[in-house]
Amino acid sequence: MRDKNKAAVTPPMGWNSWDCFGAGITEKDLLENARYIRDNLKEYGWEYVVCDIQWYEPAADSTHYHKFADLCMDEYSRLIPAENRFPSSKGGKGFSVIASEIHAMGLKFGIHIMRGVPRQAVHRNAPIMCEGVTARDIASDYSICAWNTDMYGIDCRVKGAREYYSSIFKMYADWGVDFVKVDDICNTEYRKDCPYSAKKEIELIREAIDGCGRDMVLSLSPGPATIENGRHLSANANMWRLTGDFWDDWDKLKAMFRRCEIWYKYVSEGCWPDCDMLPLGHLNVNYPKEERYTNFTREEQITLMSLWAVFRSPLMFGGNLPDNDDFTLSLLTNKSITDINQHSTDNRPLVCENDRAVWTCIDKDGHRVLAFFNLSDSDLTISVPAGILDEGKPYKVTDLWTKDEKTCTNAKFSVNLAPHNSKMLTFYE
């Protein structure tokens, strides 16, 4: 039995195509972003290149889904890449050529899938890789996605359900997939009217990955995940979303502090509650009405990166990487911040109030780190909470963003912060 936690010993770091290309990602776009990671980010720990939704739909072209679109599918009801968008998939190669090229860069390759079985396979009564069983036999007629028309959920009680999931993950293993983001699953099962839907599907997916012969990170979306199911999520997944789609809106960022406060005790090796992607840089690049650089101010971007780091959320950048400016690149190449995300311990909130938050952790060298956040719309002074630093002992203090150093003479240390701003400080005795 594989240990699923070994697939993600530290929070996964990489890039996902959704925030910049929506459903319209192409092979060219994917590989351009992969090369950027190889050339600019790999040395800082960034390694995953994840192709998001609708890679199997020839007509996909925006963030808006086409209802009941024709999808590319093999003879066993398994979705395969659209050749017009991913030319290297011709001849039944699937994503194997792209995965090989990304692996040759020293990186890892991931895909997005929807839970269940394609509706078009069900309507055609197409076979699956289980003798005498069709897609229609395993589909759950009452389990559908509220926002995408591609799939039916699977009735996990019937013959063929386990075999279908096993067949798709063995195909992904043959392609060389390292990361699978499964959608319409993280917050779906727990409806009382669907007792056999997503919770059981999560377990079948876990079983399929364990049996496919290849380590894969399992990421579950969308949120909000519920804390009552934390043990089940921890037992089966490597990442699970704490929210719906997270975008560049201050209110969404402010709300994330409460979610992190609820979930921080579940952060451990191979188990990473997920604050969602980093909507930074150049977003929605293909869509003139929505195309923009992030709406977050620079102060808010630092606050976002600081929270994701000290909480140890996975770091999945959402913008089109080749369009990064110097500031955006600096957010991703601050080794002090990524080290906090990857290697810190004792990560926990100390102050959780409407206008402020303070988090702490121990860095890889054993030093105390404090992160101060001004969540208000006014300037604010925030002091070190009592009992964290030794009274009367002098400390050297390093700002992990500016690299400024100073000395504080006792534990009565405070920081002054502009609205929506933050500081991440390391204290050395």
Side-chain angles (χ1 to χ4, degrees):
M1 174 68 71
R2 290 176 179 267
D3 181 353
K4 67 98 177 169
N5 292 336
K6 298 305 180 184
V9 175
T10 59
M13 297 173 60
W15 172 83
N16 178 291
S17 62
W18 174 253
D19 286 357
C20 50
F21 296 108
I25 180 69
T26 67
E27 182 168 337
K28 177 178 178 291
D29 301 324
L30 198 67
L31 292 176
E32 283 180 353
N33 278 272
R35 286 188 283 269
Y36 183 96
I37 296 175
R38 177 197 61 193
D39 296 341
N40 299 279
L41 300 177
K42 178 184 171 184
E43 65 181 291
Y44 299 95
W46 302 85
E47 60 176 346
Y48 287 94
V49 181
V50 181
C51 180
D52 211 271
I53 197 168
Q54 304 302 126
W55 42 266
Y56 37 79
E57 181 192 343
D61 59 358
S62 75
T63 55
H64 306 290
Y65 302 118
H66 300 140
K67 294 182 180 180
F68 307 104
D70 288 332
L71 309 178
C72 297
M73 191 174 74
D74 74 2
E75 68 271 29
Y76 295 112
S77 303
R78 301 177 297 185
L79 295 174
I80 56 177
E83 294 181 1
N84 63 315
R85 294 168 54 206
F86 301 94
S88 69
S89 69
K90 292 179 180 178
K93 295 184 179 68
F95 274 126
S96 60
V97 175
I98 289 175
S100 293
E101 188 165 347
I102 288 173
H103 292 157
M105 299 181 201
L107 305 176
K108 296 180 179 180
F109 175 61
I111 60 173
H112 170 291
I113 67 171
M114 298 291 291
R115 71 180 175 96
V117 61
R119 291 191 189 187
Q120 72 179 31
V122 174
H123 298 161
R124 296 173 187 175
N125 204 24
I128 66 170
M129 199 172 282
C130 181
E131 186 175 356
V133 180
T134 69
R136 190 174 297 174
D137 295 324
I138 66 172
S140 175
D141 57 356
Y142 59 79
S143 182
I144 60 175
C145 178
W147 43 269
N148 182 286
T149 59
D150 291 344
M151 314 292 278
Y152 287 115
I154 285 178
D155 185 342
C156 299
R157 300 168 294 183
V158 302
K159 178 183 177 182
R162 175 174 282 102
E163 290 83 355
Y164 181 73
Y165 269 124
S166 177
S167 75
I168 64 172
F169 278 91
K170 285 181 178 177
M171 181 176 69
Y172 302 157
D174 289 343
W175 289 349
V177 171
D178 306 294
F179 180 111
V180 180
K181 174 182 174 182
V182 184
D183 215 335
D184 188 39
I185 199 165
C186 188
N187 65 353
T188 302
E189 179 276 331
Y190 310 102
R191 300 176 308 185
K192 293 181 180 178
D193 61 324
C194 293
Y196 292 100
S197 59
K199 186 173 184 179
K200 294 296 183 182
E201 286 194 70
I202 289 170
E203 293 168 3
L204 285 189
I205 290 166
R206 175 76 268 151
E207 182 181 325
I209 293 175
D210 290 343
C212 77
R214 184 178 183 85
D215 288 333
M216 294 182 193
V217 173
L218 175 57
S219 170
L220 302 181
S221 289
T226 56
I227 194 69
E228 292 81 8
N229 296 294
R231 289 186 178 181
H232 184 265
L233 293 163
S234 295
N236 290 282
N238 301 111
M239 299 165 49
W240 56 91
R241 281 263 294 277
L242 306 189
T243 179
D245 284 0
F246 177 79
W247 282 102
D248 44 338
D249 175 84
W250 169 250
D251 288 339
K252 289 182 181 292
L253 176 51
K254 184 176 179 179
M256 195 65 71
F257 282 84
R258 175 57 179 160
R259 299 184 189 279
C260 293
E261 178 191 359
I262 292 170
W263 277 99
Y264 78 94
K265 292 182 180 179
Y266 281 88
V267 173
S268 64
E269 179 183 291
C271 302
W272 309 111
D274 180 13
C275 295
D276 199 14
M277 289 184 290
L278 305 167
L280 306 176
H282 195 185
L283 307 175
N284 289 329
V285 299
N286 285 346
Y287 320 119
K289 292 183 179 179
E290 303 172 42
E291 182 267 345
R292 65 187 183 280
Y293 276 79
T294 184
N295 287 323
F296 284 132
T297 66
R298 289 193 171 190
E299 291 78 11
E300 290 166 350
Q301 292 177 62
I302 289 172
T303 291
L304 183 155
M305 290 295 297
S306 297
L307 177 62
W308 268 237
V310 74
F311 176 67
R312 303 197 72 195
S313 173
L315 298 177
M316 288 288 171
F317 190 83
N320 189 39
L321 287 167
D323 297 336
N324 279 353
D325 58 17
D326 289 343
F327 176 77
T328 305
L329 180 59
S330 74
L331 294 173
L332 309 183
T333 56
N334 186 319
K335 194 69 165 55
S336 298
I337 300 300
T338 56
D339 277 352
I340 294 296
N341 177 265
Q342 295 290 292
H343 304 298
S344 57
T345 57
D346 191 33
N347 305 69
R348 55 194 169 93
L350 300 174
V351 177
C352 300
E353 299 176 2
N354 187 55
D355 66 343
R356 71 192 71 197
V358 182
W359 279 68
T360 188
C361 67
I362 303 296
D363 71 14
K364 65 180 183 180
D365 297 317
H367 300 131
R368 174 67 60 186
V369 176
L370 291 171
F372 301 84
F373 301 93
N374 180 359
L375 308 183
S376 76
D377 296 328
S378 305
D379 291 349
L380 197 63
T381 298
I382 306 177
S383 299
V384 172
I388 296 299
L389 301 179
D390 291 339
E391 289 283 349
K393 182 178 291 186
Y395 289 89
K396 293 180 180 179
V397 183
T398 299
D399 187 315
L400 298 185
W401 283 108
T402 66
K403 309 304 181 184
D404 291 341
E405 296 183 355
K406 64 173 65 176
T407 299
C408 74
T409 57
N410 57 57
K412 294 183 172 63
F413 184 86
S414 61
V415 297
N416 301 311
L417 292 173
H420 304 184
N421 206 350
S422 60
K423 280 188 179 294
M424 184 96 78
L425 305 176
T426 300
F427 291 77
Y428 305 83
E429 295 184 14

